[in-house]
Amino acid sequence: FAGPFTDVVTTNLKLRNPSDRKVCFKVKTTAPRRYCVRPNSGIIDPGSSVIVSVMLQPFDYDPNEKSKHKFMVQTTYAPPNISDMEAVWKEAKPDELMDSKLRCVFEMPNENDKLNDIDASKPAPVLNTSKQDGPMPKPHSVSLNDTETRKLVEECKRLQAEIMKLTDENRHLRDEGLRLRKVAHSDKSGSPTALALRDNGSNSLPSLLVVIAAIFIGFFLGKFIL
């Protein structure tokens, strides 16, 4: 019997008569109040079969409790003329009776089986194509945005390369200015050479400011784009 056991659980029992004579059968259980058996007795013709429905009534299932419920299918050859089934069982001798014993097993479904059952029971979603929440983006607009982004990234890389070039030039100019200052201090302050060096040092200052400004512009542009 497969749970959950909050409702009636039915299991079918198939009885087959392989002999060439009619057979009487009767189904017994150790827990008659917990089960409903239909039919619980009858006659099976030679070579025929019968389906017996065993219905387990709802109960509180405890997985730690071992099932002790058992069934027994008792059979005997039917006499030529049957008028009373109860009399057949009362008059049957022990060596004429045959029986088969069955033990009940209770199983709860796995969590995966529960999820599959829930998913299978859900109705399939219905797509309403007549009404949309908003206009769908066009494919060409998406590709256009990608192209613009790619151009901006390439422009940013180019600006960064120029900034690195300007930085190298600024470093070179700064080193040259330091060298010229050392030469100027070694000469007299009133000589023409000293005056020329001061002019060169003052002229290199605007170039340095331009380079620094370009570095900041490239930095902020890169942060904005990326």
Side-chain angles (χ1 to χ4, degrees):
F1 297 91
F5 303 100
T6 56
D7 201 354
V8 177
V9 181
T10 302
T11 296
N12 292 327
L13 182 65
K14 183 177 181 180
L15 305 180
R16 180 174 177 273
N17 179 11
S19 67
D20 56 355
R21 297 173 55 185
K22 290 185 178 181
V23 172
C24 299
F25 75 91
K26 180 167 59 174
V27 182
K28 297 182 178 180
T29 178
T30 57
R33 295 183 179 180
R34 299 285 292 274
Y35 299 92
C36 181
V37 182
R38 292 292 183 274
N40 60 354
S41 62
I43 299 175
I44 307 176
D45 293 330
S48 300
S49 302
V50 64
I51 300 297
V52 178
S53 297
V54 182
M55 292 164 279
L56 173 62
Q57 304 303 309
F59 72 103
D60 295 330
Y61 174 69
D62 185 3
N64 297 323
E65 182 181 355
K66 188 175 180 180
S67 173
K68 297 181 180 179
H69 299 174
K70 295 181 181 180
F71 277 82
M72 183 177 68
V73 180
Q74 200 170 35
T75 59
T76 184
Y77 286 116
N81 296 321
I82 302 176
S83 57
D84 187 2
M85 287 291 298
E86 291 296 331
V88 172
W89 295 108
K90 288 180 180 179
E91 297 175 359
K93 298 178 181 179
D95 57 350
E96 297 176 349
L97 298 176
M98 296 166 285
D99 58 72
S100 298
K101 295 181 180 180
L102 303 172
R103 183 174 62 88
C104 296
V105 177
F106 302 141
E107 293 182 352
M108 289 295 290
N110 296 328
E111 294 297 328
N112 294 333
D113 296 339
K114 291 181 180 179
L115 294 176
N116 293 335
D117 292 341
I118 293 174
D119 294 339
S121 62
K122 287 183 179 180
V126 178
L127 298 178
N128 186 3
T129 57
S130 62
K131 183 179 180 181
Q132 296 181 353
D133 295 337
M136 295 296 291
K138 297 181 179 180
H140 70 271
S141 63
V142 176
S143 61
L144 181 61
N145 292 334
D146 294 340
T147 305
E148 292 179 353
T149 303
R150 192 159 46 249
K151 289 182 178 180
L152 290 175
V153 172
E154 293 176 356
E155 183 68 18
C156 180
K157 291 181 179 180
R158 187 184 64 80
L159 291 175
Q160 290 178 351
E162 292 183 359
I163 290 172
M164 292 179 64
K165 182 179 179 181
L166 292 174
T167 303
D168 294 337
E169 293 179 358
N170 178 53
R171 188 181 300 108
H172 177 72
L173 291 174
R174 184 176 57 189
D175 295 340
E176 186 68 19
L178 291 175
R179 187 182 66 80
L180 292 175
R181 287 194 188 95
K182 290 180 181 180
V183 174
H185 282 296
S186 63
D187 296 338
K188 293 181 180 181
S189 60
S191 64
T193 305
L195 294 175
L197 293 177
R198 289 194 189 95
D199 292 339
N200 291 334
S202 61
N203 290 332
S204 64
L205 182 60
S207 300
L208 180 62
L209 294 177
V210 171
V211 171
I212 294 175
I215 293 173
F216 277 103
I217 291 172
F219 174 77
F220 285 111
L221 182 59
K223 293 287 288 183
F224 175 76
I225 295 175
L226 299 179

